[in-house]
Amino acid sequence: MISGWRVSSIQDKLCYLGDAFLHCKSEAASWNLLGKPEIVEYTEEAIATMTQMTQRNQHSETEGQVQKKKIFWRHYMRNLHYTDPNGEEMSFNERGNLPSEWSTANLVLYKTGTRYRITIRYVTTIEEYLKYDLINHIAPGEITWKEGKVTVSKNSNYCKYVQSHPWIPKSLCNDRCPPGYRKASNRRLHSCCYDCVPCSEGEMSNITDSETCHRCPSEEWSDESKVRCVPKTYDFLSYEQDSVALVSSVAASSFSAITLFILGNFIYYWNTPIVKANNRAVSLILLISILLSFLCVFLFLGRPVDITCRLRQTFFGIFFSTAVSSVLGKTVTVCIAFKATKPGSPWRKWVTLKVSNYVVIVCSLVQALICSIWLSVSPPYQEYDHHSHLGMIIIQCNEGSVIGLYSMLGYMGILASVSFVLAFMVRTLPDSFNEAKYITFSMLVFCSVWIAMIPAYLSTKGKYMVAVEIFAILTSCAGIQGCIFFPKLYILLLKPEINSRKMLLEKDKV
């Protein structure tokens, strides 16, 4: 009675459990998986239940009789032998346990339409006679994971799993790091927890859960998403891409055309008094040197190469020093003329020696010597700057010797300072011979521009540094040209009646 009633109840409960998980597709599979461990629990429950029934029906039994019946039931269960619905022989050992084997099963659940199908694959089996502290190792390759293909055998009622792309799940407490990020420890309790940190500028990662970000080569830079390296852009003062280059070229061309216009008028009116005043040969040299200084701007524009790097600073230094030397020569001429007007002055003999010509030649040769030494010792050259700006390569000219550059600029500053001081001293001479006031203003413009240029030049890099120097060249040359020659051009074109010896002498008497 016990085996019939109780075992059938156990089977019903196991079938219920099997139907919940396995839809009772294979009773043998459900019984083998869950039956052996559950039978012990239900058998113990049966003993306790029947003991309570006996106590309720026979209240007259003594406590000793009840204990004897319990011992009897235990002895009975130890010697119980029966056959389960699957035909497997079941019995208890001397300890009251089912002599069974413990299996590790791999279950994979699939949804087919509105129903679920499950496959069972036994991985390892441990017999009862083995030690309880046995460590069981399971190779990852023996486990069938979720990804894969499922096929149904025609000769059986269970699913057969064919593994195609095994993927072992990991225990994570956060989302995986996408490409463009790297894993970073957040020092929490669990080692599987980490933060996702974006790759730094110039680094990339193109895989999920990357441990590190890889730095791009020097010629490349990471894109916005930090998943690949792209070539860096080249940065220089380009005619096609920079409006500064276009404006500078137009300004240099315009100033050059104006200089040529002034030079043409001076040649046309070569023998007039206004042109002869203050040494017309030096004025001609000054106009030509200003014109060449304007044209030097084009050496600063476009992509720098070694030849343009070597020529642009040296040509500008020589041409502009010649212009400042000419201004200094004109100032010396005014100063000698003022001194020679006094009776018995020793300066009279210097008037016929053309001192201004020698001043221009000597001062220009000194600057040429400085530039020659600079080119022979450490000449400028083309340089690629990979680090000053992110994501771009700056093509610029390395000036080679910094001492050579600042020696050239410093020498021009000395010439301009001497010219300014001398012109300021003789600014009160008669207007018919005097250019001192105009020279004073021109040198004041030159000094103001270049003093303001120095901090801007040192604080910029690449094409912006070139743009600052171009602005200084155009402004200083235009200042000298405008202050010295525009008043004379005004008289030549608009007031020709003043351009006569009689008017100059009458004005001188006044």
Side-chain angles (χ1 to χ4, degrees):
M1 177 184 68
I2 294 175
S3 60
W5 169 75
R6 200 58 193 157
V7 170
S8 62
S9 299
I10 293 170
Q11 183 177 356
D12 292 340
K13 291 186 177 183
L14 289 177
C15 186
Y16 172 77
L17 292 173
D19 186 62
F21 291 94
L22 311 177
H23 296 284
C24 289
K25 288 296 177 182
S26 175
E27 293 183 0
S30 63
W31 184 263
N32 289 337
L33 180 65
L34 301 174
K36 294 180 182 180
E38 295 290 339
I39 192 64
V40 179
E41 176 184 351
Y42 287 117
T43 303
E44 292 178 352
E45 180 184 349
I47 297 174
T49 302
M50 296 191 67
T51 303
Q52 293 175 2
M53 292 174 58
T54 304
Q55 290 177 354
R56 287 196 297 268
N57 295 331
Q58 299 178 2
H59 297 286
S60 59
E61 292 184 356
T62 62
E63 183 177 354
Q65 292 175 336
V66 173
Q67 292 295 331
K68 289 181 180 180
K69 288 185 177 182
K70 288 182 178 182
I71 295 173
F72 168 74
W73 288 116
R74 290 171 183 168
H75 176 73
Y76 176 79
M77 292 301 298
R78 289 191 186 98
N79 295 279
L80 179 65
H81 289 78
Y82 68 95
T83 302
D84 66 4
N86 293 324
E88 185 177 354
E89 187 74 20
M90 305 294 292
S91 64
F92 293 91
N93 58 17
E94 64 277 4
R95 296 193 297 269
N97 298 325
L98 284 171
S100 58
E101 59 184 21
W102 299 87
S103 299
T104 303
N106 181 199
L107 283 74
V108 182
L109 185 66
Y110 300 96
K111 183 177 182 180
T112 57
T114 58
R115 303 188 64 186
Y116 288 89
R117 308 195 68 160
I118 193 169
T119 61
I120 303 173
R121 179 169 174 257
Y122 292 100
V123 180
T124 59
T125 301
I126 302 176
E127 302 293 341
E128 181 194 17
Y129 59 83
L130 297 177
K131 296 181 179 179
Y132 290 99
D133 59 352
L134 176 68
I135 299 176
N136 187 22
H137 297 280
I138 302 176
E142 298 178 354
I143 304 298
T144 300
W145 303 105
K146 185 175 181 180
E147 279 71 12
K149 298 180 181 179
V150 180
T151 58
V152 180
S153 174
K154 298 181 180 179
N155 300 327
S156 60
N157 59 352
Y158 63 89
C159 294
K160 181 181 179 181
Y161 184 78
V162 180
Q163 186 174 359
S164 60
H165 299 288
W167 176 77
I168 303 175
K170 295 183 179 180
S171 177
L172 298 175
C173 56
N174 51 267
D175 294 333
R176 296 179 179 274
C177 295
Y181 291 77
R182 65 174 177 85
K183 296 195 296 185
S185 175
N186 52 22
R187 298 184 179 180
R188 295 178 185 171
L189 179 61
H190 302 290
S191 60
C192 62
C193 299
Y194 52 85
D195 294 330
C196 295
V197 180
C199 293
S200 303
E201 295 293 337
E203 297 181 345
M204 55 78 68
S205 66
N206 54 3
I207 60 174
T208 304
D209 274 348
S210 177
E211 296 290 341
T212 57
C213 294
H214 302 283
R215 180 164 292 279
C216 296
S218 58
E219 295 79 11
E220 297 180 348
W221 194 252
S222 56
D223 60 355
E224 294 183 359
S225 57
K226 307 293 190 302
V227 297
R228 64 190 183 96
C229 293
V230 296
K232 291 182 178 180
T233 58
Y234 291 100
D235 184 62
F236 57 90
L237 210 55
S238 172
Y239 289 101
E240 294 81 9
Q241 299 178 355
D242 293 297
S243 59
V244 176
L246 180 62
V247 172
S248 299
S249 61
V250 171
S253 301
S254 301
F255 285 127
S256 299
I258 294 173
T259 306
L260 288 174
F261 177 75
I262 296 173
L263 182 61
N265 280 276
F266 262 63
I267 294 175
Y268 184 78
Y269 296 100
W270 185 255
N271 294 318
T272 59
I274 196 68
V275 175
K276 287 182 178 180
N278 301 112
N279 199 331
R280 56 186 174 182
V282 174
S283 298
L284 184 63
I285 295 173
L286 176 58
L287 284 171
I288 294 174
S289 60
I290 290 176
L291 174 63
L292 295 176
S293 298
F294 281 134
L295 296 178
C296 281
V297 170
F298 293 98
L299 293 175
F300 291 83
L301 301 175
R303 180 168 181 154
V305 294
D306 288 338
I307 186 64
T308 56
C309 289
R310 294 183 181 184
L311 294 180
R312 67 183 190 180
Q313 294 289 5
T314 55
F315 276 16
F316 165 69
I318 294 173
F319 295 150
F320 199 77
S321 294
T322 303
V324 178
S325 300
S326 301
V327 174
L328 179 59
K330 296 174 74 66
T331 307
V332 171
T333 301
V334 174
C335 185
I336 292 175
F338 174 74
K339 297 290 184 180
T341 56
K342 297 180 181 181
S345 173
W347 290 95
R348 287 180 177 269
K349 63 180 180 180
W350 292 97
V351 175
T352 59
L353 294 177
K354 302 293 182 180
V355 178
S356 57
N357 295 341
Y358 294 106
V359 172
V360 173
I361 295 172
V362 172
C363 294
S364 301
L365 289 176
V366 172
Q367 183 69 291
L369 179 62
I370 293 174
C371 293
S372 299
I373 296 174
W374 179 17
L375 291 177
S376 61
V377 174
S378 180
Y381 57 90
Q382 183 194 57
E383 181 184 48
Y384 292 90
D385 185 0
H386 299 270
H387 309 291
S388 296
H389 290 276
L390 301 178
M392 65 177 60
I393 300 175
I394 299 176
I395 305 177
Q396 61 185 5
C397 289
N398 188 311
E399 304 302 345
S401 174
V402 179
I403 297 176
L405 174 64
Y406 288 107
S407 298
M408 181 266 292
L409 295 176
Y411 180 72
M412 287 193 304
I414 293 173
L415 293 179
S417 300
V418 174
S419 298
F420 174 76
V421 172
L422 291 178
F424 184 80
M425 290 172 60
V426 297
R427 70 189 185 281
T428 57
L429 285 178
D431 288 341
S432 57
F433 299 97
N434 192 11
E435 281 184 334
K437 290 186 295 185
Y438 307 131
I439 293 173
T440 302
F441 283 116
S442 66
M443 291 298 99
L444 183 61
V445 171
F446 171 82
C447 294
S448 301
V449 169
W450 285 92
I451 290 174
M453 187 274 296
I454 291 174
Y457 183 83
L458 297 177
S459 61
T460 54
K461 293 288 186 181
K463 63 181 181 182
Y464 302 104
M465 182 173 62
V466 177
V468 169
E469 188 170 0
I470 290 175
F471 175 79
I473 293 172
L474 294 175
T475 308
S476 57
C477 290
I480 295 174
Q481 182 188 69
C483 292
I484 295 177
F485 293 102
F486 278 6
K488 293 184 178 183
L489 189 64
Y490 172 77
I491 295 174
L492 291 174
L493 299 179
L494 302 178
K495 298 290 184 178
E497 66 275 7
I498 301 178
N499 188 15
S500 64
R501 183 177 178 82
K502 182 179 177 180
M503 292 297 297
L504 292 175
L505 292 176
E506 289 180 358
K507 192 174 182 180
D508 193 21
K509 292 179 180 179
V510 176

